[in-house]
């Protein structure tokens, strides 16, 4: 099966549901002018995702959560680039994180990429069935339906926040105690 077209975030949820229900194996690419993400499906389950936006990169998430220092991250990124190994593999080999931590953060990375995608508007998508070679990769197994439900909850909450905070230029300050 090959699909392509334009979408908004809610429609992308429908595409993911279709791929899940039909137990498809392939790659869903989502593109805009300055960003791109790819979601890998194996028999209807999301097993991997990668995004071009820096906030969704593994190193950025580990750094943000205080698991790695900036210095450790830079050192491992350089090693990964020189050796052409995945950052996660370098982090585990150097002992900065355990394999379990890598799996946990890999899942978190995939979830963040997917939640972010569901907020995109008027972008392009393309899905192609293809055999997936996952050898040597840390894969996660996420049910797209659970992700879509969580994304819907987040979208509902975001609409409430948007009503309360109408502009992203508002600066809050502590008042009183």
């Amino acid at each position: 099966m090959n699909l392509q077209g334009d979408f908004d975030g809610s429609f992308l949820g429908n595409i993911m549901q279709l791929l899940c229900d039909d137990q498809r194996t392939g790659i869903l690419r989502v593109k805009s002018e300055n960003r791109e993400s790819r979601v890998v499906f194996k028999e209807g389950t999301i097993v991997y995702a990668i995004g071009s936006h820096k906030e969704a990169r593994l190193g950025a998430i580990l750094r943000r959560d205080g698991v790695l220092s900036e210095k450790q991250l830079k050192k491992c990124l350089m090693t990964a680039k020189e050796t052409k190994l995945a950052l996660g593999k370098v982090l585990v080999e150097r002992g900065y994180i355990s394999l379990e931590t890598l799996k946990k953060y890999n899942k978190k990375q995939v979830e963040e990429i997917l939640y972010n995608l569901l907020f995109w508007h008027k972008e392009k998508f393309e899905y192609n069935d293809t055999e997936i070679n996952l050898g040597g990769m840390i894969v996660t197994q996420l049910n797209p339906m659970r992700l879509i439900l969580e994304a819907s909850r987040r979208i509902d909450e975001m609409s409430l926040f948007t009503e309360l905070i109408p502009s992203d230029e508002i600066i809050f300050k502590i008042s009183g105690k």
Side-chain angles (χ1 to χ4, degrees), residues 63-126:
R63 176 75 186 101
R64 181 189 67 211
D65 287 0
V67 176
L68 288 178
S69 70
E70 185 71 29
K71 185 178 178 181
Q72 290 170 326
L73 177 58
K74 284 183 180 181
K75 189 186 297 185
C76 289
L77 283 170
M78 283 183 16
T79 301
K81 188 175 181 179
E82 291 168 0
T83 60
K84 295 186 173 137
L85 293 173
L87 175 63
K89 185 170 179 89
V90 173
L91 291 167
V92 170
E93 285 178 355
R94 292 232 171 148
Y96 290 128
I97 62 173
S98 68
L99 185 56
E100 284 306 308
T101 300
L102 177 59
K103 288 179 181 178
K104 173 184 161 187
Y105 276 90
N106 188 49
K107 180 179 178 182
K108 188 173 187 173
Q109 177 189 24
V110 171
E111 288 175 341
E112 285 193 23
I113 289 169
L114 292 168
Y115 294 144
N116 184 289
L117 277 177
L118 293 169
F119 280 96
W120 288 17
H121 296 284
K122 301 191 190 307
E123 311 299 349
K124 297 191 178 300
F125 78 92
E126 178 183 347

